[in-house]
Amino acid sequence: MTTSHFPSLLKTLPLLLLGGGLLLAGAVFLGLSGGSSGLSPSDLWLLLTKPESADPVTAAIIWQIRLPRVVMAAAAGATLALGGLIFQALLRNPLAEPYILGLSGGAAVGAILGMMAGLANFPGVTLLAFAGGMATLLLVLAIAGSQSGGGKDTLLLGGVMMNAFCGSLIMLLLAISQDDQLRTILFWLMGDLSRADLHHLPILLLLLPAMLVISLLARTLNLLLLGRDSAAGLGVGVRNVSLLLLTMTSFMVGIVVSQAGLIGFVGLVVPHIFRMLAGPDHRLLIPACLLGGAAYLILCDLLARSLPTGGEMPVGIVTALIGAPLFIFLLWKSRT
């Protein structure tokens, strides 16, 4: 693979940004106007165009309840989609993503420990989530023997094993947790965006520097697709770049898990969709995954809020119902 095989960046990127921006704008509009409260898109349009004549209750529902939730969903979706893209490029494994490799599970263990210890959401819970996710990822890579060319199956088995171990730790922590913490932690574990409020949003700004650094390394990721030896021959400091990308990704996933819980398979579904649409160039895939991942999780959360007749379900259930069959299909396809 050479860069000459990539579509012209100057021709494709503006169209991709325009399409992704429109998709995200549409998802935000639907996310703000849809749900189980009986509001409609016309109510939101009235609020946007004639705020002085809008119902105060409608304004409170949209700006104080739904807007923080939509922003949280967008940030989580963009982060998880980007994380899946980075893992797939670094490990050269199309099935790699934070949830499947156990990174999200390790981050959840760290976050629960922080919650049970009564630490503040930031920095205590967030830093413990980052530490748990990073430790789990390093263990999975060590199990797979990535430095000596561990295969795809070994990597996936390592991730499954660490997921099972983290699941056992989570069950242990739930068993010894106080009753008033139990329901909150259980919903959070399934990917719960209902806790989002305006006070939780500033922490999401920490995602922006990491996303910017990863975006600046798009060409380097293209070179890594050629293989570690080829990339090193072209002047890439493979070890340092890989460590930087893994650390950045683990930090971003730790923030998302500490705020929104375990949301699986976003990093599998979104990169595969845009890789089929935009090709393998990470200069296109990174903005596509950021915009598309944000829109995807907003729409999944809209389904989670709209489908149940008596309340709502955690968004992690919706993403698993979509992503798990795709994972099984891709795993089957890779063996044929």
Side-chain angles (χ1 to χ4, degrees):
M1 181 187 301
T2 63
T3 54
S4 62
H5 293 155
F6 296 135
S8 172
L9 185 67
L10 292 178
K11 293 181 180 179
T12 310
L13 184 59
L15 293 176
L16 185 147
L17 292 175
L18 176 61
L22 290 175
L23 176 64
L24 179 57
V28 169
F29 186 85
L30 291 174
L32 290 175
S33 60
S36 58
S37 62
L39 300 182
S40 66
S42 60
D43 295 320
L44 175 60
W45 184 252
L46 178 64
L47 180 62
L48 293 175
T49 56
K50 298 179 180 179
E52 68 281 354
S53 60
D55 179 31
V57 175
T58 299
I61 291 174
I62 290 177
W63 298 134
Q64 298 180 26
I65 298 176
R66 288 188 179 173
L67 179 61
R69 185 163 181 159
V70 167
V71 173
M72 184 73 75
T79 297
L80 296 173
L82 183 60
L85 180 68
I86 297 305
F87 282 156
Q88 290 159 23
L90 287 179
L91 305 176
R92 302 183 70 190
N93 186 330
L95 299 177
E97 73 110 22
Y99 185 82
I100 294 170
L101 292 182
L103 173 60
S104 296
V109 172
I112 292 175
L113 287 173
M115 292 177 187
M116 294 178 64
L119 299 179
N121 204 333
F122 181 83
V125 173
T126 301
L127 290 179
L128 282 176
F130 164 65
M134 193 69 182
T136 304
L137 177 61
L138 293 176
L139 284 172
V140 170
L141 294 177
I143 292 170
S146 61
Q147 298 299 323
S148 56
K152 178 191 303 184
D153 290 343
T154 307
L155 183 68
L156 293 177
L157 286 173
V160 169
M161 185 168 64
M162 288 307 302
N163 256 328
F165 179 67
C166 290
S168 299
L169 288 179
I170 289 171
M171 292 301 103
L172 173 63
L173 293 174
L174 289 177
I176 63 176
S177 65
Q178 299 178 6
D179 290 340
D180 58 344
Q181 297 175 319
L182 190 58
R183 187 178 186 278
T184 300
I185 294 176
L186 280 175
F187 262 72
W188 172 85
L189 281 172
M190 291 184 284
D192 182 24
L193 298 175
S194 63
R195 298 189 309 146
D197 60 43
L198 295 174
H199 300 293
H200 289 160
L201 298 185
I203 190 176
L204 300 178
L205 296 175
L206 295 174
L207 298 171
L208 297 179
M211 290 178 177
L212 177 60
V213 170
I214 291 174
S215 299
L216 294 175
L217 293 173
R219 182 177 176 275
T220 301
L221 285 167
N222 287 341
L223 296 177
L224 287 173
L225 293 179
L226 303 173
R228 289 177 173 265
D229 294 337
S230 298
L234 293 171
V236 177
V238 175
R239 185 179 182 86
N240 292 334
V241 169
S242 298
L243 181 60
L244 175 62
L245 287 171
L246 289 174
T247 303
M248 288 288 184
T249 303
S250 299
F251 178 67
M252 291 192 303
V253 172
I255 290 177
V256 167
V257 169
S258 69
Q259 298 299 309
L262 285 173
I263 302 174
F265 299 104
V266 177
L268 182 72
V269 173
V270 176
H272 273 82
I273 291 174
F274 285 103
R275 197 175 284 112
M276 290 189 293
L277 295 175
D281 190 347
H282 285 84
R283 294 172 297 179
L284 299 174
L285 284 175
I286 288 175
C289 285
L290 289 172
L291 294 172
Y296 174 74
L297 197 58
I298 291 173
L299 295 176
C300 286
D301 185 52
L302 176 60
L303 288 175
R305 288 187 280 126
S306 304
L307 289 179
T309 55
E312 63 181 60
M313 69 175 74
V315 68
I317 295 177
V318 177
T319 60
L321 288 173
I322 297 172
L326 176 62
F327 174 74
I328 294 171
F329 170 75
L330 292 172
L331 185 60
W332 170 80
K333 187 177 179 181
S334 69
R335 292 174 176 271
T336 57

